Amino acid sequence: MRSPRCHPLLVPALLCAFAVLAARPIYAADGEGSEGGHGGAELGLSAQVARLYEDAAMATQRYEAGRREADTRRARALRVEALLDRERREIAVLHEDLGRIARAQYRTGGGMPLTAQIILAGSPEELMRGQHVFSQTQLVVNNAIGKSRRAESRLVADEAKAAAAWQALERRSSELADLKDDIEQKLEQARWQLQGQADASVAAGSCRGAVRLEQPQAAFTSAWVAPVESYQLSAGFGSGGARWASRHTGQDFAVPIGTPVRAVGAGQVVKVSCGGAFGIEVVVEHVGGYYSQYAHLAAVTVDQGEQVSPGQWIGQSGTSGNSSGPHLHFEVRVTPEMGSAVDPVPWLSARGVPVG
């Protein structure tokens, strides 16, 4: 363990530990500043949701990184507290040493006046020895007093810095948490506004047109990907339920409204529909005679006839149509229409995409 004299100061390190997180500007819900002419207000709202998803992910990453850094700094602060305790114990020992020196000096006559020492000395040599001992004792006393005072001053300064470090740590952690919560609240509000527009489209039985969102920068090296990045599996293929005429024909991925939905592989969009039990849906034809369906969407980002690549955003998840809550209904079929579905989980697994 380091000596208390050379332990690092906490305040500069703590203040540098957290980057200031600023949420990006978002598009207005009325479509101002949005691209193209498709969808108007829906385009602005879809872009807002997509941007808020990105900001929320970034805020979460920085929040978690900040919390991990806070844990590291907190452990270091606790070590400093231990060093402060050690300093306090050393000061107590110094005080005991001063008391012991003072008592010893009193017992040996170190405090007698020089005249009395001359009178009581048996010889000049004894007097000189007494003076030498007295000088050495005084030097020890002065050094001990100086050391004690320096230690006390260092302790006071270190205690103040440690207290400031703890306050800065808690304040920054609170700021990061508040920022993360603010972004998530805005995202939740925008999600349901987007879903309201989707419900209106389904009720009208007509789509608003593709919403052109900025696609993710990541390039996929594999030919096949999962339809959503993060999810929880809910109803599986072949399961029973009151909402289906016979058996469930796909795999449900429980995700929040507005989650980007990805094409599982390269292909061509053969259907974009906004009515019926599936709500807003997209169907993509792939090589080999298979079709993938993405249903209960809140928005679509592709047009019928468009070519898509693996991982390309083709829509945003929702809860449109005959849906019990926000999720993506994903099917794999051998024809574009329902009634020809195969279990999508082993189908994806056979193409190097484990789902679970």
Side-chain angles (χ1 to χ4, degrees), residues 2 54 69 72 85 93 103 110 149 162 173 189 257 264 291 320 325 331-332:
R2 292 185 175 181
E54 185 178 348
E69 184 67 20
T72 301
D85 288 338
V93 171
R103 290 190 297 271
R149 288 175 177 171
S173 296
Q189 182 181 7
I257 295 169
V264 295
Y291 298 80
S320 60
E331 282 192 22
V332 174

Side-chain angles (χ1 to χ4, degrees), residues 160-181:
K161 290 171 183 175
W166 280 109
Q167 292 172 2
L169 177 65
E170 294 303 324
R171 182 171 59 253
R172 193 66 193 123
S173 296
S174 178
E175 290 173 355
L176 287 171
D178 290 344
L179 181 57
K180 177 173 173 287
D181 290 342

Side-chain angles (χ1 to χ4, degrees), residues 301-316:
T301 62
V302 290
D303 288 317
Q304 190 164 314
E306 186 174 333
Q307 295 290 330
V308 295
S309 57
Q312 179 179 334
W313 288 357
I314 60 174
Q316 291 170 290

Side-chain angles (χ1 to χ4, degrees), residues 138-158:
Q138 286 297 110
L139 181 61
V140 170
V141 171
N142 291 338
N143 287 341
I145 292 174
K147 184 177 181 181
S148 178
R149 288 175 177 171
R150 289 191 299 272
E152 289 173 349
S153 298
R154 185 172 63 250
L155 175 61
V156 170
D158 288 346

